[in-house]
Amino acid sequence: MVPPEVRVGAGYPSWQLAKAFTTASSHEDDETRRRAEERVHRWERVLTGMADGTVTVGSRTPVAGFPAWVTPQVMRGGFATGEAAAGGPLLPHEVETARRVGVPADRYALFRHHLTDAGLAELYALLDGGAYDVAVPEEAALLTVAWLLRAGDRPAALTLLEEIHPFADRLRFTPRPTTGSAPGSVSVSDDASASGGASASDGAAAPGGAIASGGEVVHRETVGEVRAALGGRRPNHSVAAMNEALTVWNPFADELLTHWLETVESGRVAVTEPDGWRERGADLLARYRELATVHTLCTKHRRPKENLAILRTALEEAVAGRELDPRLRGLLRHAVDSMVRRRGVPGSARHVALRTAQAVNASRPAMHVLAQVLVARLADLPPDAGLPSVDAVVRPVTEEESRTGAPAGAEVPDALRRIVERALSAPIATLVERGIVTSAEVLAELVPQLVAATTAEAYEDTTLGALMAATYRAFRNRRSLLLLNLERQVRLEELPWVGAVTPYRSATRGGGSARTALVRLGELALQGFPSTILPNPLVRELSTLSRQAGLDVPFTEELAADIFMGAFSPKFPRAARLAADLLEGTLYDRYYGIDYAAVRGLPEPARFAAVCRARAGDVAGGSWVAANGKVIEQAQILTTHNLAALVHPIGVDPAGGWADLARRAFTTVCGLTARVEGDRYPLGVIKDAAYAWRQVVFFLSLCGLEDQITVIAGIQEEVRRHPEHVVRRLAPVLAGLRHVLVGGSLDDDSAPTARRLTGWSTTGHWMCEVSLPVVRTRRGRPV
């Protein structure tokens, strides 16, 4: 049952504080402890602010005294700390500016300086040269003032100054000077042009094209971020210990074995010793002590039950002239026999081949050594840009570079290559194909780079377009707040400096590019990740593009069940009506039992919510979070969670066709279902499987009947390739799909073995109840 009121308590922040404190006090890495200490201080501020009322969790203005447009410092879960992201101590470039111009080192003095003739001249130079970075949106405010003054719009500039002036002593309103390219352009275009275009092997398109042309390039991380990741690689103790075992202790064990084999007759340890055997044994023991002093990473040789330790212990007894006791003699015989049986006699072809292969593996340079080679190669590249090609960075180690400890000719392993590829600048489609964009969430991180380009196109003045593009990218880095009571996140247009230049934004410029980008991104999301619902950050970007394209599309976000208050915003019934226009009478409609004719008569959010609650059925017997989840899931079913909007009015048309997307999404359904068996907490996996299944049904609904029959036959074959427990769990689901395909209904008793797959349940999910019969061994243990 949905509670009448949702209150956010201190439980979650307290838990996060405890986690951060544990890490800060116990982690072995200094940098990790330092970051954890920062989290401790921030979570303490969250709790203090909640206690004294200066932080209001759930509000779009969470910090007392700050308007909504101020970017708050936000922690995991959407909790504001009470601090502003543009606040805090002066940054180094601010300190340097204060020293250079001779003003006090405080924000208000710097604010006033930038309104003088000299300060405005500095801002004009930044606007024209583009050598600035906007990390938080507030850093674009005074640049906007400067642009307005130079454009002759003094009233707009004064109005903007009046709004931001009360915070001039606390917030940073100036950008960060850089040496990079203009921030409004796609960040790697200049670099790619300078290098003659992207490498064909990387598949990057030539830069400089409009977003509509498909020539835009993006990157997951900058060169500087990749350098930091590589520079943070530390020696792997386990690998180093393994290499020591391969290069030091295994060869020494072979020497001990060879020495003992001199005493073996007919497979047993002889009583008599060859001439000089004991003296040679003493030399081996002396060398063991030297090796043990120098090579301390691998400790396996010290374990009493290991073969090397047994051979050494027996040799110590023999060299000392003591008779081996029966137990040690038996262990010695077993050690010798097992070593010969597993690897052959030292010097034999089988033994030499094995030790040669092990030596080759051990001779490979350590990952942290190769990482330092890559760091050096990236050192002279612009740190705030991407790489038009990774070939030159990941080439084999050269003779000159071998001085660092990495052997010449050593190949860069895939693990390090993947890190470098995160800086590759290429069209998003190329990054998806190469596996650099690994999920819809990662895709959503890259989209702001492209949307910023369409934002810039809407302004005739290129310097203003570049500034607004930089503002957009910074705004998209703003972390979402935890909101209640259907409050919405702050929009870009609410920033005073963005609103001040709205008259200079054309409603028609860039609209075509935005429309094309909207279609391409929708297709890319479906083709790249057909089994994944659109994550909220990507939904926000698609919404922005649709507005830029002049389309009024009701994109809907995924709602959090733990803070859902039983109500939906007006765009949800709009999205359901849009889905009705596309899906009424289709397989999707019949499978989920939707009365789309009635849905069209639901203009009010309250009536839409009532229908969702009715479709969710009995929600008693479980937690209120699960009850909320059932209601939210029904809203996703009715709206298709943005799939219908992408098809119409956006007009996506995936290159592989809808049938291909259905097959690929079902492969994910099988993989998720396989994880249910043996999972102590399987409900999350079942929920994801149900969401992926909904995508399958939607894609099938856009296929013709012949394709539907072919795909369903194919997915039945796919199921048979999985373990029996997967077949058992999906059999009722597939039976339900077949029953609906031939005209049946899942809302009557005509198909008792069929099931409609949904993810949320308040009474335990039926998929958890499907299990294999117990197979017992002779000892009566279940297998």
Side-chain angles (χ1 to χ4, degrees), residues 211-446:
I211 191 169
S213 69
E216 72 287 353
V217 291
V218 296
H219 51 265
R220 281 189 62 180
E221 295 181 1
T222 65
V223 168
E225 291 168 335
V226 166
R227 280 188 61 199
L230 292 169
R233 301 284 299 207
R234 296 291 180 265
N236 187 313
H237 177 79
S238 298
V239 173
M242 179 192 70
N243 287 339
E244 184 179 277
L246 294 178
T247 58
V248 176
W249 297 114
N250 284 0
F252 183 75
D254 293 339
E255 293 185 57
L256 284 180
L257 175 61
T258 301
H259 190 67
W260 274 112
L261 286 175
E262 294 181 24
T263 69
V264 171
E265 295 178 358
S266 302
R268 294 182 177 276
V269 179
V271 176
T272 59
E273 302 171 358
D275 292 339
W277 184 87
R278 190 173 300 189
E279 289 75 12
R280 294 194 301 277
D283 292 339
L284 284 173
L285 292 175
R287 196 151 64 82
Y288 168 79
R289 288 187 289 272
E290 293 176 2
L291 293 176
T293 301
V294 176
H295 303 285
T296 59
L297 296 177
C298 178
T299 59
K300 187 177 180 180
H301 61 91
R302 301 180 187 276
R303 301 171 190 168
K305 295 183 180 181
E306 293 293 332
N307 289 336
L308 190 155
I310 293 170
L311 267 59
R312 175 180 54 80
T313 302
L315 184 59
E316 288 174 345
E317 294 295 302
V319 169
R322 294 186 289 268
E323 184 72 22
L324 301 185
D325 63 68
R327 176 180 176 278
L328 182 56
R329 182 174 291 274
L331 290 174
L332 175 61
R333 289 171 178 170
H334 180 270
V336 171
D337 290 343
S338 64
M339 292 173 74
V340 172
R341 184 172 57 253
R342 289 181 61 188
R343 305 178 188 88
V345 175
S348 66
R350 180 159 66 100
H351 188 276
V352 170
L354 173 66
R355 292 306 190 211
T356 300
Q358 291 177 341
V360 170
N361 288 334
S363 65
R364 292 173 179 167
M367 296 280 277
H368 71 281
V369 174
L370 289 173
Q372 292 305 314
V373 173
L374 301 181
V375 168
R377 291 175 178 177
L378 294 169
D380 295 331
L381 299 177
D384 54 350
L387 291 171
S389 171
V390 301
D391 291 348
V393 179
V394 298
R395 67 185 187 277
V397 178
T398 64
E399 287 288 347
E400 184 178 355
E401 291 169 332
S402 64
R403 300 170 185 172
T404 63
E411 299 283 345
V412 174
D414 289 342
L416 295 182
R417 184 185 182 96
R418 285 193 293 270
I419 295 176
V420 175
E421 285 182 334
R422 297 206 295 256
L424 174 63
S425 297
I428 287 186
T430 300
L431 301 183
V432 172
E433 291 169 4
R434 294 184 58 161
I436 299 171
V437 174
T438 55
S439 67
E441 287 75 17
V442 174
L443 174 64
E445 295 174 3
L446 300 182

Side-chain angles (χ1 to χ4, degrees), residues 185-204:
S185 61
V186 179
S187 57
V188 295
S189 294
D190 293 346
D191 298 317
S193 297
S195 61
S199 166
S201 63
D202 285 332

Side-chain angles (χ1 to χ4, degrees), residues 576-591 593-601 637-638 640 644 698 701-702:
R577 293 194 298 273
L578 188 150
D581 294 338
L582 179 70
L583 296 171
E584 186 171 14
T586 64
L587 181 68
Y588 186 96
D589 178 351
R590 301 195 304 274
Y591 180 85
I594 303 172
D595 184 359
Y596 270 131
V599 167
R600 286 195 175 91
I637 289 172
L638 292 177
T640 72
F698 177 86
S701 298
L702 301 183

